[in-house]
Amino acid sequence: MRHPQRITVLGATGSIGLSTLDVIARHPERYHAFALTGFSRVEELAQLCLRHRPRFAVVADAQAARRLRDLLGGGLPALEVLSGEEGLCAVAAHPDVDAVMAAIVGAAGLRPTLAAVEAGKKVLLANKEALVMSGALFMDAVRRHGAQLLPIDSEHNAIFQCLPLDYPRGLQQVGVRRILLTASGGPFRETALDALEQVTPEQACAHPNWSMGRKISVDSASMMNKGLELIEACWLFAARPAQVEVVVHPQSVIHSLVDYLDGSVLAQLGNPDMRTPIAHALAWPERIESGVSALDLLAIGRLDFQAPDERRFPCLRLARQAAEAGGSAAATLNAANEVAVAAFLGGRIGFLEMSVLIAAVLDAQPVVPVVSLEQVMQLDADSRALAMRWLERYGR
Ligand code: NAD
Ligand code: MG
């Protein structure tokens, strides 16, 4: 591949986006930020544009585009500012782009990420919701368009590193017994069960090991994040849900493991810093400096493991049920969860009510095969509407 490689960062102003730009800036001879996108934080995007000098910037709408131009003053006259989903898809599929970091949060990332896949790009996938929603459609598009899909989620990146290169032949064929997905257990792993009802968004977003966006932080606190990751792992590695086991590992040092038929268990370890999987995927199959400090096992001292408690974390059970149901169940789960998380962050429902809302939407929506993107978007919209109706009835 030519150097420097041109990278589109979808969701550049977010936690993953900023970590990606940090790694890119360490290797100007290898990587250049070709396009940066941001949604609401236009000031931050302007700063990032001045620093990384991309060819394109994409914002939410025409008004935000004018604001970005104003903020830049006369600076960066060659920068092209685009807007909306159309702009996102254009920079994801642009012929001059070598790789796309898909780091928009939630369903909003589906179309742009698919646009990168359909253009046959190297796609670094952080936006797990896109894959969870569209599942077979997404993976079919990867195969049909010869895209290269590299997982950024630390667990899936770890699994990818522990699997042989020919794993797409099938897990059984390459001698894998099961995948062990590690989970920190989040901030409420040991909170008294009767205190969970009262926990605040600020407490939910204070993750013990990782610093992340608010949506994924709440998902980590409810363990819906692990549920979405279970579904993500099934698609990425052609695993059955029963082949993926969740293990709570509070230190977040082992990022996941692969258990082989001969009794070997391979794990990937490292400090909990997303720059490691980002650097791994950017440079794969080479290795580059990421800025992450060396792991100090002696300072860590011990690694602990526990079974997940589904009474405490009903979202994990709901996600496993959706994974087993297949078809549209995961899209329904994801949409209901996005509404539930926003309602919790907005103070409309309590922490424990998130799983009640999601279960109600899953119960109300039939499970059907997923056949087209339009259908997935419709399912997403219908499930959100059901969730909103639930909120009107039971929310504050
Ligand atoms: P974040 O909230 O920090 O950033 C989200 C980004 O998406 C921002 O750039 C925002 O401008 C953009 N965005 C939000 N809504 C949008 C919309 N409607 N249209 C276009 N752009 C929009 O989130 P994050 O923590 O960086 O997570 C991003 C994705 O990566 C999520 O899917 C998350 O699950 C996944 N992920 C994150 C981490 C992490 O450590 N943060 C780890 C693993 C996976
Ligand atoms: Mg993860």
Side-chain angles (χ1 to χ4, degrees), residues 164-237:
L165 281 181
D166 62 340
Y167 75 83
R169 287 201 291 131
L171 288 184
Q172 211 131 29
Q173 280 70 16
V174 298
V176 171
R177 181 156 43 201
R178 59 190 178 146
I179 286 170
L180 297 166
L181 205 56
T182 53
S184 68
F188 305 138
R189 186 173 54 89
E190 291 183 316
T191 306
L193 278 180
D194 53 13
L196 283 180
E197 208 178 305
Q198 300 299 333
V199 296
T200 65
E202 292 324 306
Q203 289 170 308
C205 289
H207 196 280
N209 307 336
W210 299 94
S211 147
M212 310 180 285
R214 284 169 79 78
K215 193 265 179 181
I216 184 176
S217 294
V218 174
D219 283 347
S220 299
S222 69
M223 279 191 86
M224 180 56 92
N225 183 49
K226 213 48 55 181
L228 297 175
E229 290 184 356
L230 164 80
I231 299 169
E232 182 185 15
C234 289
W235 289 116
L236 286 174
F237 307 117

Side-chain angles (χ1 to χ4, degrees), residues 132-332:
V132 166
M133 289 170 74
S134 61
L137 279 181
F138 191 102
M139 296 309 290
D140 282 350
V142 168
R143 279 184 287 272
R144 261 188 300 124
H145 299 279
Q148 187 177 44
L149 189 60
L150 290 163
I152 294 298
D153 222 335
S154 57
E155 295 77 4
H156 306 74
N157 184 271
I159 295 160
F160 180 80
Q161 294 196 46
C162 296
L163 283 172
L165 281 181
D166 62 340
Y167 75 83
R169 287 201 291 131
L171 288 184
Q172 211 131 29
Q173 280 70 16
V174 298
V176 171
R177 181 156 43 201
R178 59 190 178 146
I179 286 170
L180 297 166
L181 205 56
T182 53
S184 68
F188 305 138
R189 186 173 54 89
E190 291 183 316
T191 306
L193 278 180
D194 53 13
L196 283 180
E197 208 178 305
Q198 300 299 333
V199 296
T200 65
E202 292 324 306
Q203 289 170 308
C205 289
H207 196 280
N209 307 336
W210 299 94
S211 147
M212 310 180 285
R214 284 169 79 78
K215 193 265 179 181
I216 184 176
S217 294
V218 174
D219 283 347
S220 299
S222 69
M223 279 191 86
M224 180 56 92
N225 183 49
K226 213 48 55 181
L228 297 175
E229 290 184 356
L230 164 80
I231 299 169
E232 182 185 15
C234 289
W235 289 116
L236 286 174
F237 307 117
R240 284 178 282 108
Q243 287 174 300
V244 185
E245 207 168 296
V246 174
V247 180
V248 174
H249 163 47
Q251 290 90 356
S252 296
V253 166
I254 297 181
H255 299 306
S256 277
L257 316 89
V258 177
D259 178 6
Y260 285 87
L261 291 174
D262 63 6
S264 300
V265 179
L266 301 192
Q268 186 259 4
L269 287 72
N271 286 319
D273 186 321
M274 290 307 291
R275 290 176 301 175
T276 294
I278 290 166
H280 169 268
L282 270 174
W284 186 83
E286 294 170 23
R287 295 272 179 178
I288 56 169
E289 179 72 49
S290 66
V292 178
S293 54
L295 183 66
D296 184 348
L297 278 176
L298 297 181
I300 292 159
R302 54 185 275 185
L303 300 175
D304 295 310
F305 305 97
Q306 299 163 353
D309 175 354
E310 288 192 355
R311 250 183 343 140
R312 179 180 291 274
F313 299 115
C315 286
L316 183 58
R317 178 172 39 79
L318 292 173
R320 189 175 280 284
Q321 284 165 358
E324 281 159 1
S328 59
T332 303

Side-chain angles (χ1 to χ4, degrees), residues 99-123:
V100 176
M101 167 56 80
I104 291 173
V105 60
L110 176 57
R111 279 186 202 273
T113 305
L114 259 186
V117 166
E118 287 168 358
K121 301 297 183 193
K122 171 171 166 173
V123 178

